Every structure is written in C-alpha cells, then in structure tokens.
Amino acid sequence: MIMISNRRMTACATVSCLALAACLSDDPVHAQGFDPQGMAAEALAQPFVGITVDGVRSPGLFAIEATDASTAPVIAAASAFLASLDDELRRRVRFPVDDMNVWRNWANIHSFPREGISLDEMSDVQRERAHALLRASLSAKGYETSRDIMRLNHHLAELVDNFEDYGEHLYWVTVLGDPSATEPWGWQIEGHHLIVNYFVLGDQVVMTPTFMGSEPTRAHSGLYAGVAILEAEEELALALMQTLSPAQRELALLGAKEGRSENRTEMFKDNQVIPFEGIPAGSLDEAQRAMLVDLIELYVDNLDEGHAAVKMQEVLTHLDETWFAWIGETGDDAVFYYRIHSPVILIEFDHQGPIALDGDGPSRNHVHTVVRTPNGNDYGADLLRQHIETFANDPEHGHHVE
C-alpha cells in the first residue's frame, strides 16, 4: 500500500456541476441538503482505481521507459518558479508527490477552496514564472487555450459584474515533489474551467486529468473581445458524425441529449466505471478513422510536441480498441456530447446548460471537455506505483511501501 499524507478534503464529490453551483450559491432553497465537505470526504476516502470498463484495471498498459522527449525545460521552469517564492509561499505551494488527496482534490467550478497559491496573489515576476512553467509544459496551442480560458473567465466577470468569484488570475498552482530528472514529481493548476495535472518521471509525462471549458465560449465584447475556445474540437467531431452512414450512426448514437450535463469523468469521478459504447474504430472507413485520429490529436496536442508524439503513438497502438459515442443531434447547429474511449485515453466533450449566464438548456455557449488516462494512470499514478515498488524502503528515494 502506498502511504500518502492526510490532507483536508474539501469539495463537492458526486453531484452535478449544476447542483454544485447551487450548493455554493446564496440560494438557501437550492443549497438545502448539500454537504460539499461530506461529499468530498466520501469521494476521496475511496482508494484510487481510475477509469475502467468494469471496475478492474487492465494490466500492463503503462511501462516506465525512455521516450527521448526531454523534460529539461519543464524542470528548469518549475525550479525557477519555486526560486521566485519566499519561504511562506513556497511552503504553501509544495506537497509530496505521492499525496493523492492533493492530486485528486481539484474542481472545475468557481468559488472553491484550493491548495497552493493563486496567480492573483503572485507578484508580476512570480506570475510570469508560473506562466513560463505552463509554456514549457504545454504546446503553443495548449498554452494559448489555457490563457484564453483565463481571459474568458475575466469576460464572465465583466458580464455578471462579479470579479470576486471570476477573473483572469483566479487559478491556483501547486508543485508536488522536487523538480528532478530522475525522481517523480509534478505540478497542477486549477480553477474555474481549467485544470491541468502534470506528472513527470524521467522523460515521461502524464498530463491527465485535464479539464478545459468555458462559459461563455466566445467573448463578443469587453477587454478580450474575439477570444474563443474549443471550436475545432466542436466542428471536427460534428463533421465526423455527419460522415457516418445510417447504420454507423445507429451504432454511435446513444440517445438524445436530455440533461444539462452528460460528462461522466469530471471532478471527483476518478473511479468511474464506463463500458465501451458507440461505434468501434474498426467499423469506420479509412477516411473516418483518419478524422477520428485528427480529433484525438486536437486534445493530445495540448502537450508539448515531443510528449504529444509519444502519447499519439500509444493511442494509435490501441486504435482498434477505440470507441466513438454520441449523444444529441447532428445538424449543423446541433448541441451534443461525444466520448472517445480506449484503454489508454478517454476524451469527453459536452455542451452544457447555463450556470452563470441566462439560458434554458444546453448550448454552444457553455462547453466542458475532459481528458483522462484510464486504467489507473491518471496523475501518473500507475507509473508512480511502479517507481515506488521498485525502490520500496529505499531512503535515497524517500518512499515507503507497506
């Protein structure tokens, strides 16, 4: 058993985003009956298993091995960020790499207790070094999408005149372990509609769970007018669905979009059991399979180029075990949910109902996406397990296993 430190568990666990927003609101009617801390305690008290199809991890999917994709820029950027902090801020931002409660205690909502330190409270130099860590870890596309989510969070504050709950710098950073070329470590950023969990072991990287979304998805006015996110992920998926024959579409389509949220793997859903559903990649023709690969790449390419190539090779190895599922309509202005699921990646995209803005149901103005590594390797947990077991009770590596 991997020993982890005992952290406070504060969050809503198994409720929907809408219910969670209600329980954190000032509306006593909607808040009645919700116990965020109790729900969090219930979720985080469960041992981490990961996303599975039947409750049991498929073994042997993830190995500790050289990738030839350098992590040196990330190590340097993380070290520079930590060096910019005073002792008190450094104490608040640092956690053990095997503290799974810190890794797992993320939430994609606003107004939520966070670990670490926020961009808002950092000095200009510290904030720039935090952004430098994101730039070193992500691709140009991944970094720009992350920044645009922050910008749209500022725009939401403009729209609802609430800069206390929403804003460009209300994102919290933690560093787990010591930046190292040989020992496991990682970092996390979390806040409203943006969560990146970034685990590093040698030259291997696992960047899941990653959550990217926004309400609204485009700024039509204000400081960041013209900023928009996730349009390619929306358009290419719909184009793929529209190429399916009636027989193929019958396989892919799981039903109508009835609820405000279809996501299965958002916050505090680390151990979801999700069977393969929809149409398998083997039932797609060559052009459709190429579109599916291109769609997956839109998400994987948020990683830096070298590690994205490593991940895509892993995805392609399991392409015949990959499934594409759809909920909702398929017209040009459709509102929908889709899921791409294989033994080594799970992607969800969902048009959500309104939370902060007005509206009657799911729309293209509120989108959530989640990327997961099934079978126990979210947070790099399976790689960390293997590393700890290899060096069990070795004081040089600082881990203890019972």
Side-chain angles (χ1 to χ4, degrees), residues 61-96:
L61 291 169
F62 310 105
I64 297 177
E65 56 190 6
T67 68
D68 295 326
S70 177
T71 54
V74 184
I75 295 168
S79 299
F81 168 65
L82 290 172
S84 74
L85 306 178
D86 62 30
D87 290 344
E88 173 60 18
L89 290 180
R90 195 176 301 114
R91 182 195 65 78
R92 287 173 51 199
V93 84
R94 300 293 303 278
F95 298 92

PDB file of all heavy atoms in Angstrom, residues 61-96:
ATOM      1  N   LEU A  61      -0.449  -1.827 -19.279  1.00  0.00           N
ATOM      2  CA  LEU A  61      -0.605  -0.823 -20.335  1.00  0.00           C
ATOM      3  C   LEU A  61       0.461   0.263 -20.282  1.00  0.00           C
ATOM      4  O   LEU A  61       0.768   0.883 -21.296  1.00  0.00           O
ATOM      5  CB  LEU A  61      -1.990  -0.179 -20.228  1.00  0.00           C
ATOM      6  CG  LEU A  61      -3.179  -1.070 -20.571  1.00  0.00           C
ATOM      7  CD1 LEU A  61      -4.480  -0.383 -20.171  1.00  0.00           C
ATOM      8  CD2 LEU A  61      -3.191  -1.400 -22.059  1.00  0.00           C
ATOM      9  N   PHE A  62       1.026   0.509 -19.104  1.00  0.00           N
ATOM     10  CA  PHE A  62       1.917   1.649 -18.915  1.00  0.00           C
ATOM     11  C   PHE A  62       3.225   1.163 -18.304  1.00  0.00           C
ATOM     12  O   PHE A  62       3.228   0.549 -17.239  1.00  0.00           O
ATOM     13  CB  PHE A  62       1.259   2.688 -18.020  1.00  0.00           C
ATOM     14  CG  PHE A  62      -0.138   3.040 -18.445  1.00  0.00           C
ATOM     15  CD1 PHE A  62      -1.230   2.559 -17.736  1.00  0.00           C
ATOM     16  CD2 PHE A  62      -0.369   3.798 -19.576  1.00  0.00           C
ATOM     17  CE1 PHE A  62      -2.526   2.860 -18.128  1.00  0.00           C
ATOM     18  CE2 PHE A  62      -1.650   4.109 -19.988  1.00  0.00           C
ATOM     19  CZ  PHE A  62      -2.743   3.631 -19.265  1.00  0.00           C
ATOM     20  N   ALA A  63       4.319   1.444 -18.969  1.00  0.00           N
ATOM     21  CA  ALA A  63       5.629   0.997 -18.503  1.00  0.00           C
ATOM     22  C   ALA A  63       6.536   2.187 -18.286  1.00  0.00           C
ATOM     23  O   ALA A  63       6.429   3.215 -18.975  1.00  0.00           O
ATOM     24  CB  ALA A  63       6.265   0.054 -19.527  1.00  0.00           C
ATOM     25  N   ILE A  64       7.441   2.065 -17.318  1.00  0.00           N
ATOM     26  CA  ILE A  64       8.487   3.062 -17.142  1.00  0.00           C
ATOM     27  C   ILE A  64       9.553   2.812 -18.211  1.00  0.00           C
ATOM     28  O   ILE A  64      10.180   1.747 -18.233  1.00  0.00           O
ATOM     29  CB  ILE A  64       9.101   2.981 -15.736  1.00  0.00           C
ATOM     30  CG1 ILE A  64       8.039   3.307 -14.674  1.00  0.00           C
ATOM     31  CG2 ILE A  64      10.283   3.926 -15.613  1.00  0.00           C
ATOM     32  CD1 ILE A  64       8.527   3.181 -13.251  1.00  0.00           C
ATOM     33  N   GLU A  65       9.707   3.772 -19.108  1.00  0.00           N
ATOM     34  CA  GLU A  65      10.631   3.573 -20.218  1.00  0.00           C
ATOM     35  C   GLU A  65      11.061   4.919 -20.775  1.00  0.00           C
ATOM     36  O   GLU A  65      10.382   5.937 -20.601  1.00  0.00           O
ATOM     37  CB  GLU A  65       9.962   2.750 -21.329  1.00  0.00           C
ATOM     38  CG  GLU A  65       8.663   3.347 -21.839  1.00  0.00           C
ATOM     39  CD  GLU A  65       7.900   2.415 -22.757  1.00  0.00           C
ATOM     40  OE1 GLU A  65       8.334   1.262 -22.908  1.00  0.00           O
ATOM     41  OE2 GLU A  65       6.871   2.842 -23.314  1.00  0.00           O
ATOM     42  N   ALA A  66      12.193   4.927 -21.429  1.00  0.00           N
ATOM     43  CA  ALA A  66      12.697   6.161 -22.027  1.00  0.00           C
ATOM     44  C   ALA A  66      11.843   6.559 -23.224  1.00  0.00           C
ATOM     45  O   ALA A  66      11.381   5.714 -23.990  1.00  0.00           O
ATOM     46  CB  ALA A  66      14.146   5.973 -22.467  1.00  0.00           C
ATOM     47  N   THR A  67      11.619   7.861 -23.379  1.00  0.00           N
ATOM     48  CA  THR A  67      10.817   8.356 -24.500  1.00  0.00           C
ATOM     49  C   THR A  67      11.621   9.229 -25.456  1.00  0.00           C
ATOM     50  O   THR A  67      11.157   9.518 -26.551  1.00  0.00           O
ATOM     51  CB  THR A  67       9.639   9.199 -23.986  1.00  0.00           C
ATOM     52  OG1 THR A  67      10.144  10.411 -23.396  1.00  0.00           O
ATOM     53  CG2 THR A  67       8.815   8.423 -22.970  1.00  0.00           C
ATOM     54  N   ASP A  68      12.782   9.699 -25.035  1.00  0.00           N
ATOM     55  CA  ASP A  68      13.601  10.640 -25.811  1.00  0.00           C
ATOM     56  C   ASP A  68      12.908  11.977 -26.027  1.00  0.00           C
ATOM     57  O   ASP A  68      13.285  12.746 -26.920  1.00  0.00           O
ATOM     58  CB  ASP A  68      13.997  10.037 -27.171  1.00  0.00           C
ATOM     59  CG  ASP A  68      14.908   8.832 -27.018  1.00  0.00           C
ATOM     60  OD1 ASP A  68      15.723   8.831 -26.077  1.00  0.00           O
ATOM     61  OD2 ASP A  68      14.787   7.886 -27.830  1.00  0.00           O
ATOM     62  N   ALA A  69      11.896  12.261 -25.208  1.00  0.00           N
ATOM     63  CA  ALA A  69      11.244  13.570 -25.236  1.00  0.00           C
ATOM     64  C   ALA A  69      11.675  14.307 -23.973  1.00  0.00           C
ATOM     65  O   ALA A  69      11.308  13.932 -22.869  1.00  0.00           O
ATOM     66  CB  ALA A  69       9.728  13.416 -25.290  1.00  0.00           C
ATOM     67  N   SER A  70      12.438  15.338 -24.108  1.00  0.00           N
ATOM     68  CA  SER A  70      13.085  15.970 -22.960  1.00  0.00           C
ATOM     69  C   SER A  70      12.085  16.639 -22.024  1.00  0.00           C
ATOM     70  O   SER A  70      11.126  17.289 -22.453  1.00  0.00           O
ATOM     71  CB  SER A  70      14.087  17.023 -23.437  1.00  0.00           C
ATOM     72  OG  SER A  70      14.669  17.693 -22.337  1.00  0.00           O
ATOM     73  N   THR A  71      12.333  16.485 -20.728  1.00  0.00           N
ATOM     74  CA  THR A  71      11.591  17.229 -19.716  1.00  0.00           C
ATOM     75  C   THR A  71      12.457  18.325 -19.093  1.00  0.00           C
ATOM     76  O   THR A  71      12.037  18.983 -18.146  1.00  0.00           O
ATOM     77  CB  THR A  71      11.087  16.286 -18.605  1.00  0.00           C
ATOM     78  OG1 THR A  71      12.197  15.546 -18.070  1.00  0.00           O
ATOM     79  CG2 THR A  71      10.030  15.326 -19.131  1.00  0.00           C
ATOM     80  N   ALA A  72      13.646  18.532 -19.615  1.00  0.00           N
ATOM     81  CA  ALA A  72      14.563  19.532 -19.047  1.00  0.00           C
ATOM     82  C   ALA A  72      13.953  20.935 -19.002  1.00  0.00           C
ATOM     83  O   ALA A  72      14.112  21.648 -17.994  1.00  0.00           O
ATOM     84  CB  ALA A  72      15.877  19.540 -19.835  1.00  0.00           C
ATOM     85  N   PRO A  73      13.246  21.396 -20.051  1.00  0.00           N
ATOM     86  CA  PRO A  73      12.656  22.740 -19.966  1.00  0.00           C
ATOM     87  C   PRO A  73      11.621  22.871 -18.851  1.00  0.00           C
ATOM     88  O   PRO A  73      11.512  23.930 -18.225  1.00  0.00           O
ATOM     89  CB  PRO A  73      12.023  22.937 -21.346  1.00  0.00           C
ATOM     90  CG  PRO A  73      12.771  22.008 -22.250  1.00  0.00           C
ATOM     91  CD  PRO A  73      13.076  20.816 -21.405  1.00  0.00           C
ATOM     92  N   VAL A  74      10.868  21.800 -18.604  1.00  0.00           N
ATOM     93  CA  VAL A  74       9.849  21.834 -17.548  1.00  0.00           C
ATOM     94  C   VAL A  74      10.525  21.878 -16.178  1.00  0.00           C
ATOM     95  O   VAL A  74      10.104  22.617 -15.283  1.00  0.00           O
ATOM     96  CB  VAL A  74       8.911  20.613 -17.664  1.00  0.00           C
ATOM     97  CG1 VAL A  74       7.796  20.712 -16.636  1.00  0.00           C
ATOM     98  CG2 VAL A  74       8.336  20.513 -19.069  1.00  0.00           C
ATOM     99  N   ILE A  75      11.571  21.073 -16.009  1.00  0.00           N
ATOM    100  CA  ILE A  75      12.308  21.069 -14.744  1.00  0.00           C
ATOM    101  C   ILE A  75      12.886  22.451 -14.468  1.00  0.00           C
ATOM    102  O   ILE A  75      12.774  22.984 -13.352  1.00  0.00           O
ATOM    103  CB  ILE A  75      13.423  20.008 -14.789  1.00  0.00           C
ATOM    104  CG1 ILE A  75      12.818  18.600 -14.894  1.00  0.00           C
ATOM    105  CG2 ILE A  75      14.313  20.107 -13.559  1.00  0.00           C
ATOM    106  CD1 ILE A  75      13.838  17.525 -15.229  1.00  0.00           C
ATOM    107  N   ALA A  76      13.488  23.051 -15.481  1.00  0.00           N
ATOM    108  CA  ALA A  76      14.086  24.378 -15.312  1.00  0.00           C
ATOM    109  C   ALA A  76      13.028  25.424 -14.970  1.00  0.00           C
ATOM    110  O   ALA A  76      13.233  26.282 -14.093  1.00  0.00           O
ATOM    111  CB  ALA A  76      14.840  24.773 -16.578  1.00  0.00           C
ATOM    112  N   ALA A  77      11.879  25.360 -15.646  1.00  0.00           N
ATOM    113  CA  ALA A  77      10.830  26.348 -15.409  1.00  0.00           C
ATOM    114  C   ALA A  77      10.224  26.181 -14.017  1.00  0.00           C
ATOM    115  O   ALA A  77       9.948  27.175 -13.326  1.00  0.00           O
ATOM    116  CB  ALA A  77       9.751  26.224 -16.477  1.00  0.00           C
ATOM    117  N   ALA A  78      10.016  24.945 -13.579  1.00  0.00           N
ATOM    118  CA  ALA A  78       9.470  24.712 -12.246  1.00  0.00           C
ATOM    119  C   ALA A  78      10.451  25.173 -11.172  1.00  0.00           C
ATOM    120  O   ALA A  78      10.059  25.772 -10.162  1.00  0.00           O
ATOM    121  CB  ALA A  78       9.139  23.234 -12.065  1.00  0.00           C
ATOM    122  N   SER A  79      11.730  24.901 -11.373  1.00  0.00           N
ATOM    123  CA  SER A  79      12.743  25.323 -10.408  1.00  0.00           C
ATOM    124  C   SER A  79      12.808  26.845 -10.322  1.00  0.00           C
ATOM    125  O   SER A  79      12.931  27.413  -9.227  1.00  0.00           O
ATOM    126  CB  SER A  79      14.107  24.747 -10.802  1.00  0.00           C
ATOM    127  OG  SER A  79      14.077  23.323 -10.805  1.00  0.00           O
ATOM    128  N   ALA A  80      12.713  27.522 -11.460  1.00  0.00           N
ATOM    129  CA  ALA A  80      12.743  28.987 -11.473  1.00  0.00           C
ATOM    130  C   ALA A  80      11.509  29.560 -10.782  1.00  0.00           C
ATOM    131  O   ALA A  80      11.599  30.567 -10.058  1.00  0.00           O
ATOM    132  CB  ALA A  80      12.838  29.496 -12.905  1.00  0.00           C
ATOM    133  N   PHE A  81      10.356  28.926 -10.990  1.00  0.00           N
ATOM    134  CA  PHE A  81       9.143  29.382 -10.314  1.00  0.00           C
ATOM    135  C   PHE A  81       9.295  29.251  -8.802  1.00  0.00           C
ATOM    136  O   PHE A  81       9.020  30.202  -8.045  1.00  0.00           O
ATOM    137  CB  PHE A  81       7.944  28.581 -10.806  1.00  0.00           C
ATOM    138  CG  PHE A  81       6.702  28.767  -9.982  1.00  0.00           C
ATOM    139  CD1 PHE A  81       6.070  30.002  -9.924  1.00  0.00           C
ATOM    140  CD2 PHE A  81       6.174  27.711  -9.247  1.00  0.00           C
ATOM    141  CE1 PHE A  81       4.927  30.181  -9.142  1.00  0.00           C
ATOM    142  CE2 PHE A  81       5.042  27.888  -8.473  1.00  0.00           C
ATOM    143  CZ  PHE A  81       4.405  29.121  -8.413  1.00  0.00           C
ATOM    144  N   LEU A  82       9.746  28.100  -8.332  1.00  0.00           N
ATOM    145  CA  LEU A  82       9.910  27.895  -6.894  1.00  0.00           C
ATOM    146  C   LEU A  82      10.937  28.873  -6.307  1.00  0.00           C
ATOM    147  O   LEU A  82      10.765  29.383  -5.194  1.00  0.00           O
ATOM    148  CB  LEU A  82      10.331  26.455  -6.610  1.00  0.00           C
ATOM    149  CG  LEU A  82       9.261  25.384  -6.865  1.00  0.00           C
ATOM    150  CD1 LEU A  82       9.855  23.986  -6.728  1.00  0.00           C
ATOM    151  CD2 LEU A  82       8.076  25.555  -5.911  1.00  0.00           C
ATOM    152  N   ALA A  83      11.991  29.146  -7.062  1.00  0.00           N
ATOM    153  CA  ALA A  83      13.028  30.058  -6.579  1.00  0.00           C
ATOM    154  C   ALA A  83      12.506  31.482  -6.434  1.00  0.00           C
ATOM    155  O   ALA A  83      13.061  32.277  -5.650  1.00  0.00           O
ATOM    156  CB  ALA A  83      14.224  30.035  -7.529  1.00  0.00           C
ATOM    157  N   SER A  84      11.438  31.825  -7.142  1.00  0.00           N
ATOM    158  CA  SER A  84      10.891  33.181  -7.076  1.00  0.00           C
ATOM    159  C   SER A  84      10.020  33.410  -5.847  1.00  0.00           C
ATOM    160  O   SER A  84       9.647  34.546  -5.546  1.00  0.00           O
ATOM    161  CB  SER A  84      10.065  33.479  -8.337  1.00  0.00           C
ATOM    162  OG  SER A  84       8.819  32.788  -8.313  1.00  0.00           O
ATOM    163  N   LEU A  85       9.689  32.344  -5.135  1.00  0.00           N
ATOM    164  CA  LEU A  85       8.776  32.437  -3.996  1.00  0.00           C
ATOM    165  C   LEU A  85       9.537  32.651  -2.693  1.00  0.00           C
ATOM    166  O   LEU A  85      10.651  32.132  -2.516  1.00  0.00           O
ATOM    167  CB  LEU A  85       7.943  31.157  -3.879  1.00  0.00           C
ATOM    168  CG  LEU A  85       7.170  30.712  -5.124  1.00  0.00           C
ATOM    169  CD1 LEU A  85       6.444  29.401  -4.850  1.00  0.00           C
ATOM    170  CD2 LEU A  85       6.198  31.793  -5.585  1.00  0.00           C
ATOM    171  N   ASP A  86       8.927  33.364  -1.764  1.00  0.00           N
ATOM    172  CA  ASP A  86       9.510  33.446  -0.428  1.00  0.00           C
ATOM    173  C   ASP A  86       9.167  32.169   0.334  1.00  0.00           C
ATOM    174  O   ASP A  86       8.441  31.300  -0.163  1.00  0.00           O
ATOM    175  CB  ASP A  86       9.028  34.696   0.310  1.00  0.00           C
ATOM    176  CG  ASP A  86       7.516  34.740   0.533  1.00  0.00           C
ATOM    177  OD1 ASP A  86       6.887  33.660   0.670  1.00  0.00           O
ATOM    178  OD2 ASP A  86       6.963  35.853   0.579  1.00  0.00           O
ATOM    179  N   ASP A  87       9.703  32.042   1.554  1.00  0.00           N
ATOM    180  CA  ASP A  87       9.552  30.790   2.298  1.00  0.00           C
ATOM    181  C   ASP A  87       8.097  30.445   2.553  1.00  0.00           C
ATOM    182  O   ASP A  87       7.708  29.275   2.454  1.00  0.00           O
ATOM    183  CB  ASP A  87      10.301  30.877   3.633  1.00  0.00           C
ATOM    184  CG  ASP A  87      11.811  30.887   3.459  1.00  0.00           C
ATOM    185  OD1 ASP A  87      12.276  30.516   2.357  1.00  0.00           O
ATOM    186  OD2 ASP A  87      12.509  31.266   4.411  1.00  0.00           O
ATOM    187  N   GLU A  88       7.260  31.438   2.877  1.00  0.00           N
ATOM    188  CA  GLU A  88       5.858  31.171   3.183  1.00  0.00           C
ATOM    189  C   GLU A  88       5.096  30.698   1.948  1.00  0.00           C
ATOM    190  O   GLU A  88       4.351  29.716   1.993  1.00  0.00           O
ATOM    191  CB  GLU A  88       5.206  32.428   3.761  1.00  0.00           C
ATOM    192  CG  GLU A  88       3.693  32.330   3.963  1.00  0.00           C
ATOM    193  CD  GLU A  88       3.273  31.219   4.916  1.00  0.00           C
ATOM    194  OE1 GLU A  88       4.123  30.728   5.697  1.00  0.00           O
ATOM    195  OE2 GLU A  88       2.091  30.815   4.862  1.00  0.00           O
ATOM    196  N   LEU A  89       5.280  31.360   0.832  1.00  0.00           N
ATOM    197  CA  LEU A  89       4.600  30.936  -0.393  1.00  0.00           C
ATOM    198  C   LEU A  89       5.112  29.576  -0.857  1.00  0.00           C
ATOM    199  O   LEU A  89       4.332  28.738  -1.330  1.00  0.00           O
ATOM    200  CB  LEU A  89       4.801  31.970  -1.491  1.00  0.00           C
ATOM    201  CG  LEU A  89       4.079  33.305  -1.301  1.00  0.00           C
ATOM    202  CD1 LEU A  89       4.364  34.234  -2.476  1.00  0.00           C
ATOM    203  CD2 LEU A  89       2.576  33.115  -1.132  1.00  0.00           C
ATOM    204  N   ARG A  90       6.407  29.342  -0.705  1.00  0.00           N
ATOM    205  CA  ARG A  90       6.956  28.050  -1.095  1.00  0.00           C
ATOM    206  C   ARG A  90       6.375  26.930  -0.234  1.00  0.00           C
ATOM    207  O   ARG A  90       6.077  25.845  -0.726  1.00  0.00           O
ATOM    208  CB  ARG A  90       8.485  28.086  -0.999  1.00  0.00           C
ATOM    209  CG  ARG A  90       9.157  26.916  -1.735  1.00  0.00           C
ATOM    210  CD  ARG A  90      10.671  27.025  -1.702  1.00  0.00           C
ATOM    211  NE  ARG A  90      11.133  28.261  -2.314  1.00  0.00           N
ATOM    212  CZ  ARG A  90      11.729  29.240  -1.672  1.00  0.00           C
ATOM    213  NH1 ARG A  90      11.953  29.149  -0.364  1.00  0.00           N
ATOM    214  NH2 ARG A  90      12.120  30.322  -2.316  1.00  0.00           N
ATOM    215  N   ARG A  91       6.164  27.210   1.045  1.00  0.00           N
ATOM    216  CA  ARG A  91       5.559  26.217   1.930  1.00  0.00           C
ATOM    217  C   ARG A  91       4.139  25.898   1.487  1.00  0.00           C
ATOM    218  O   ARG A  91       3.709  24.740   1.495  1.00  0.00           O
ATOM    219  CB  ARG A  91       5.550  26.739   3.367  1.00  0.00           C
ATOM    220  CG  ARG A  91       4.987  25.742   4.396  1.00  0.00           C
ATOM    221  CD  ARG A  91       4.668  26.414   5.714  1.00  0.00           C
ATOM    222  NE  ARG A  91       3.599  27.403   5.583  1.00  0.00           N
ATOM    223  CZ  ARG A  91       2.313  27.081   5.506  1.00  0.00           C
ATOM    224  NH1 ARG A  91       1.931  25.814   5.525  1.00  0.00           N
ATOM    225  NH2 ARG A  91       1.405  28.035   5.383  1.00  0.00           N
ATOM    226  N   ARG A  92       3.407  26.919   1.067  1.00  0.00           N
ATOM    227  CA  ARG A  92       2.014  26.711   0.662  1.00  0.00           C
ATOM    228  C   ARG A  92       1.883  25.979  -0.663  1.00  0.00           C
ATOM    229  O   ARG A  92       0.893  25.302  -0.915  1.00  0.00           O
ATOM    230  CB  ARG A  92       1.294  28.061   0.580  1.00  0.00           C
ATOM    231  CG  ARG A  92       0.995  28.692   1.931  1.00  0.00           C
ATOM    232  CD  ARG A  92       0.449  30.090   1.764  1.00  0.00           C
ATOM    233  NE  ARG A  92      -0.666  30.110   0.815  1.00  0.00           N
ATOM    234  CZ  ARG A  92      -1.099  31.210   0.194  1.00  0.00           C
ATOM    235  NH1 ARG A  92      -0.489  32.375   0.417  1.00  0.00           N
ATOM    236  NH2 ARG A  92      -2.106  31.158  -0.642  1.00  0.00           N
ATOM    237  N   VAL A  93       2.883  26.115  -1.528  1.00  0.00           N
ATOM    238  CA  VAL A  93       2.768  25.553  -2.873  1.00  0.00           C
ATOM    239  C   VAL A  93       3.307  24.131  -2.966  1.00  0.00           C
ATOM    240  O   VAL A  93       2.986  23.405  -3.916  1.00  0.00           O
ATOM    241  CB  VAL A  93       3.479  26.474  -3.891  1.00  0.00           C
ATOM    242  CG1 VAL A  93       4.968  26.186  -3.968  1.00  0.00           C
ATOM    243  CG2 VAL A  93       2.847  26.383  -5.272  1.00  0.00           C
ATOM    244  N   ARG A  94       4.103  23.682  -1.988  1.00  0.00           N
ATOM    245  CA  ARG A  94       4.800  22.404  -2.083  1.00  0.00           C
ATOM    246  C   ARG A  94       4.041  21.276  -1.383  1.00  0.00           C
ATOM    247  O   ARG A  94       3.545  21.428  -0.266  1.00  0.00           O
ATOM    248  CB  ARG A  94       6.192  22.507  -1.446  1.00  0.00           C
ATOM    249  CG  ARG A  94       7.107  23.533  -2.067  1.00  0.00           C
ATOM    250  CD  ARG A  94       7.499  23.170  -3.487  1.00  0.00           C
ATOM    251  NE  ARG A  94       8.136  21.862  -3.553  1.00  0.00           N
ATOM    252  CZ  ARG A  94       9.422  21.647  -3.285  1.00  0.00           C
ATOM    253  NH1 ARG A  94      10.201  22.645  -2.904  1.00  0.00           N
ATOM    254  NH2 ARG A  94       9.928  20.443  -3.392  1.00  0.00           N
ATOM    255  N   PHE A  95       3.993  20.096  -2.029  1.00  0.00           N
ATOM    256  CA  PHE A  95       3.370  18.903  -1.456  1.00  0.00           C
ATOM    257  C   PHE A  95       4.156  17.671  -1.883  1.00  0.00           C
ATOM    258  O   PHE A  95       4.849  17.698  -2.904  1.00  0.00           O
ATOM    259  CB  PHE A  95       1.911  18.766  -1.919  1.00  0.00           C
ATOM    260  CG  PHE A  95       1.037  19.897  -1.486  1.00  0.00           C
ATOM    261  CD1 PHE A  95       0.848  21.008  -2.296  1.00  0.00           C
ATOM    262  CD2 PHE A  95       0.404  19.869  -0.245  1.00  0.00           C
ATOM    263  CE1 PHE A  95       0.051  22.069  -1.892  1.00  0.00           C
ATOM    264  CE2 PHE A  95      -0.392  20.924   0.172  1.00  0.00           C
ATOM    265  CZ  PHE A  95      -0.572  22.027  -0.647  1.00  0.00           C
ATOM    266  N   PRO A  96       4.034  16.568  -1.146  1.00  0.00           N
ATOM    267  CA  PRO A  96       4.686  15.323  -1.576  1.00  0.00           C
ATOM    268  C   PRO A  96       4.085  14.817  -2.882  1.00  0.00           C
ATOM    269  O   PRO A  96       2.890  14.967  -3.130  1.00  0.00           O
ATOM    270  CB  PRO A  96       4.405  14.352  -0.425  1.00  0.00           C
ATOM    271  CG  PRO A  96       4.033  15.210   0.745  1.00  0.00           C
ATOM    272  CD  PRO A  96       3.370  16.417   0.166  1.00  0.00           C
TER     273      PRO A  96
END
